[in-house]
Amino acid sequence: MIGVYPGTFDPLTLGHYDIVERANNVFDELYVVIMHNNEKNTLFSTEERVDMTRNALKDFKKVKVESYSGLMVDYFKLKEADYIVRGLRAVSDFEYELQMALMNRSLESSVETLFLMTSQKYIFLSSSTVKAIASHNGDVSKFVPPCILEKIIEKKGQLEK
Ligand code: ADP
């Protein structure tokens, strides 16, 4: 079975990592897809996000990290995937995720989305929280893999307060 896990990953957190670990146990191949989305003003460029994510996930032999700038459903068809994987945290994620899953299904009826629940300890963790804490010199080492922490420190000057 082939899964695709799309997201912004600006940057990847231990919450994303947790979902990859879970999905890695389900799929034979898993594509982590960095979506190039002009609407979102990202801290890291698409190339940086691909490199950082690839580095953070290098131990997962079944996982490939790529970027894509088109529609998710087109990537899904291109890879002949079976499922889109998304992570769910608190109930607050539900409405947005439901909307996206149903929109993708209405664009392409073969698209099925599989939701995986994160660990309880990551329920309130998001890339934007990590960036906000880091911008005020807070310690984010508990929330991201060490190689991602290094990149956040390098970008510190560009973090909005
Ligand atoms: P997007 O902009 O597509 O929401 P994100 O990188 O913010 O991209 O998230 C990608 C996916 O990972 C989403 O399904 C999101 O709900 C999920 N996710 C983000 N943070 C966590 C976390 N702490 N635990 C589990 N899933 C998460």
Side-chain angles (χ1 to χ4, degrees):
M1 270 211 308
I2 303 173
V4 296
Y5 178 28
T8 311
F9 303 102
D10 186 46
L12 175 132
T13 68
L14 290 179
H16 295 123
Y17 192 95
D18 180 89
I19 298 297
V20 170
E21 261 182 330
R22 291 170 198 283
N24 188 59
N25 292 332
V26 175
F27 293 99
D28 305 302
E29 272 178 77
L30 181 68
Y31 291 92
V32 174
V33 199
I34 316 288
M35 298 306 282
H36 176 79
N37 184 347
N38 284 328
E39 279 171 36
K40 283 204 172 177
N41 203 354
T42 56
L43 173 64
F44 295 97
S45 69
T46 305
E47 293 70 29
E48 286 173 319
R49 284 180 285 142
V50 169
D51 286 350
M52 292 158 70
T53 306
R54 206 168 264 162
N55 196 13
L57 301 177
K58 63 177 186 300
D59 292 339
F60 296 101
K61 299 298 170 221
K62 294 187 276 181
V63 171
K64 292 194 185 77
V65 178
E66 296 187 346
S67 66
Y68 194 67
S69 59
L71 280 176
M72 193 54 229
V73 294
D74 290 331
Y75 185 86
F76 179 89
K77 283 192 281 182
L78 192 73
K79 296 294 172 190
E80 299 182 337
D82 299 285
Y83 290 98
I84 291 179
V85 175
R86 295 287 289 179
L88 279 182
R89 288 165 290 189
V91 189
S92 48
D93 276 343
F94 182 76
E95 199 159 332
Y96 172 69
E97 293 292 343
L98 177 71
Q99 186 184 9
M100 236 177 12
L102 295 184
M103 185 51 79
N104 282 334
R105 191 187 278 165
S106 78
L107 290 173
E108 172 61 46
S109 60
S110 67
V111 170
E112 208 57 79
T113 306
L114 184 74
F115 293 100
L116 297 172
M117 312 295 161
T118 190
S119 300
Q120 219 158 329
K121 56 182 186 269
Y122 301 134
I123 238 162
F124 296 113
L125 179 56
S126 67
S127 301
S128 42
T129 315
V130 165
K131 286 181 280 189
I133 296 170
S135 77
H136 291 98
N137 299 314
D139 177 13
V140 293
S141 58
K142 280 203 298 274
F143 306 130
V144 294
C147 61
I148 302 280
L149 182 65
E150 275 173 33
K151 298 289 168 189
I152 295 174
I153 291 168
E154 280 173 25
K155 282 268 176 179
K156 220 155 200 183
Q158 289 170 49
L159 283 164
E160 283 169 36
K161 296 221 177 184

